[in-house]
Amino acid sequence: MTSSNSEAIAIPEILQNVFLHLDRPSLHVCARVSRLWRSWSLHVAWLVYSIPRQDAADFLAQRCVETNIINGASEKDQGTDSEGCPLTQSKKPSIVREFKKQCYRIQSLTVGSDSHSEMALWSDCNNVFSNLACALPTSLINLIHLRFGLCCLAHAPTDLTIFSDIITGLISQNPNLQHLVFFSHQQPSYRVLFTALRNNPLQQLRRLDLCCDLNINGFSHLLDLLAMRSKFEHLEQDHGRASELTTAGWDLEELIIRSSGSSSFEQFVWDSRNSTTPPRPVAVQKLTLFDFCLAVYVDEQGEDEDGDESERLQINWSVLYHLCRRFPVLKRLQLSSDIPIDYKPSSVNFENYIYDSLRDLDEFESDVFWHPEQLAMAMIKACPKLTEIDLSHHRELHPEDWDLLLQHYASQLESLSAWSVDQLRPQELVRLVPPSPMFIGQFGGHPSQKWIGLQELDISANSSIAPAIHMFFKFVPTLRHFKALGVPVKAHQLLGFDWVCTSVETLAVNILIPTQAWPEREIWRWDVAKDRWRMIGDDEDDHEYVYLGMDTELPFPQILQESGNGGRQEDSSSDSDSNSDVASDTDSETDSSSDSDTSESESESDTDSSSDSEGNSDESPASTSAELESKGAPNEAKSMKRLTHSMQIQTAICQQLGRLTRLKELTLEGREEYRYDNREWDCLHLTLKTGLDYLRPLQANLQKLVVFQLDEELCGQEEVEWIAQNWVHQDNRVWQDAFEARSGSSLMPPRSMDNPAATLGGEGTTPVLLCPQFRELCGVSVCGKQQVSALEANMNVAWLEAQCPHLTVEKDVTGNREVFFSGQYQDY
Amino acid sequence: MPVILVSSDNQDFKVDKEVAERSILIKNMLEDVGESDSPIPLPNVTAAVLTKVIEYCEHHRNDPVQVPEETDDPRKRSNDIEEWDMKFMQVDQEMLFEIILAANYLDIKPLLDVGCKTVANIIKGKTPEEIRKAFNIVNDFTPEEEAQIKKENEWAEDR
């Protein structure tokens, strides 16, 4: 044996690391190799264990091991093992015996299920616990993670008793629990849990995740329990500064509550309003309330003090207000729905999905508002340390509240989720955008240089926010996850500069491609006096604003007529000539309107400029357009010009997208022949003629491309071949050679498609599977386009699937794009 | 700014600082030393192995820093090795373990994970005797112990 072999395998950390990659059967094989291997393989094998609900009685109760029949269980009920694989009844006693022998090794235990669908099936397991008593193995004492998802029938008191005994026993036997997840559909169950938590210190508990009906008083009781466990110390601060709360003692870092029930929040507000003592703070840093419903607790609101129902309510009717007062050290606040988790890309767009899911919640949309700024001020005062905020679909905040919140938290905010928030306007959102680097350099610095840096932003389904989107591409380099589904962004606002967000890993964006050279000015400028971005035209005294008529077709900015660089400005200071007075408002760093004075004729003639699209044929659309015009076919010429223009813009956008080499997931939206704002728009088509090849660098990390809501043309033969060549088999020499060899023939799979296999283990070893990064292509249309029939589209996609066995291709067969029912794409 | 690494057999390797700092050990050394041209000795890594390690770090120089995920399950997958990494690990067994040892010493977690995944894939599907033969491991069980263990765990191995 070589020294390195023996040395490497003998190091426990390395051996454990190897074993962590093995499944249970392989681990049990390793347990027979040698004593050292046995020790570590069993350690790893038993780190995580799952007891299915139908077997819970066998493992955790008595009088179950020797017989294979549990009262009421069918003989056909095979149950499952810890990996979820079906087992025969004959093996169950052995498994249970082994469990009781080895359970001291278990660190992570799941009992039952945490799935709502699984819980719904519980009803067929009648009398599971009948005639049984809780009998937890005494050596089950080293749990760190516990997921408990049992349910019992309300009309079976014995079930409830043993259920409570099991959960109580597990908690009391495991004082080192750090994570506790509790699922139950039975109302009394939370009391059992709370009693167990009250009687056991669980000093290591860091995360508590509850999915149960807390009933009327449950939420208040929970907070009181947590407050009892929380200890705060007031730090001695410098003279003149207020003392700061910190935590000592039981540090529950994260509290997650799902499906708590509407009455629980209602009672919480009532209790909080009527309490004569100050609220007892809870030392939780991350609070998540899923399925939070604004309407439910205002249903019983009384009239305000003046007796006038039309006046705004007092802020002490707000759950958000009272929550913030109870959680003073919050760093993450999430009061929203878990819709984004459930939403799977499909032909149903996100906006409609939200509408269908939450329509009942919007009943009080316009009625329940507090006085502007009151709620925001209360939040800022109560929770000054927030770094992650999720108030999606929230209806309690005015635009003034959002402005205050974002102004205060901008310097420390790492994550903001505000999808479907109709009161958040562009003017407020740009609070999160620092001034341009040129401005900072000019003035020798700005406080934004010390900002933590926004990393996550989700503002989907807020179409009115569109004017602010490009500012994040321009000035926020720290973004890693950016989602703006259903928020149409004009492409030329995204051009004229290099996107700075090159660290982005998740991007979801809706891009409108202009079909003509319409004028566009930068609509934002930095207000030095107010130290913020201001939309041009917001201020009535802004005399520099020039109204541009909707139908006025002015030349396309010169900068975007230059090909080959994605419209990128070579000189970043070229826009400074618009205002030489540094004391007044300063334009943004790059201004796509800098050449709005260019004459109209230049725009017309420049359509013949060379394009950087690699897919251009010898007969470019530009030359065809000129030819048509000369033949006296102006309409056709105009149509061709629009096509040319659209292609150029698409190519420029693809150039910028291709720079985002850290992208793992990309979602693109857009519609062709889209009429909006008295103009016709196009979308990204993702063909070789419109810049697809510029996306090649995405091969580095791209795992998923979603195009359900995009009128793309990826189903063409050239395009699917390109995907296979550049996103799947780019390093597969065998495939590339075979593909080149059949070049010119019909679209048929190459003969030799074997992936090179690793044979490190010697002859007969199972080869290691190759898994390229790109795994999912979702929403590629197979309905046929102008150039590709439906039959050809299906054949091409089928070829791609055959070439790329690891690639999951989800086809879009609908052919129609759903229109959001209220189509609120506002003018801007 | 380049960094000079010195292998155990006194061979110098000049690498970009960004590449070298894929190793947490080297990164911490550089932070302690500050701005310095002094070469960094790596007495536990031969030139041949260091060459491979540098090749890996160069390829992955732009990868984001791995942040440990909050999860209740420490187990990992072994079937998601990138194509480049798979080819990179197509070496003889001695070199494979040398790379693992070097990655462990230099604290390059992604490289260590890839190495361990590769070893795990070798183990999968083998009997205990085949594993011993593959890694030259001595069976230190008594025959009685082995029979007892086999009997106890038969149910677990059956798939």
Side-chain angles (χ1 to χ4, degrees), chain A residues 600-614:
Chain A
E600 185 170 344
S601 59
E602 286 183 14
S603 167
E604 298 290 333
S605 62
D606 278 335
T607 52
D608 291 338
S609 60
S610 60
S611 166
D612 49 11
S613 166
E614 293 187 6

Side-chain angles (χ1 to χ4, degrees), chain A residues 318-330:
Chain A
S318 165
V319 165
L320 185 55
Y321 167 76
H322 290 292
L323 278 175
C324 289
R325 295 179 78 207
R326 294 297 297 269
F327 294 91
V329 294
L330 269 185

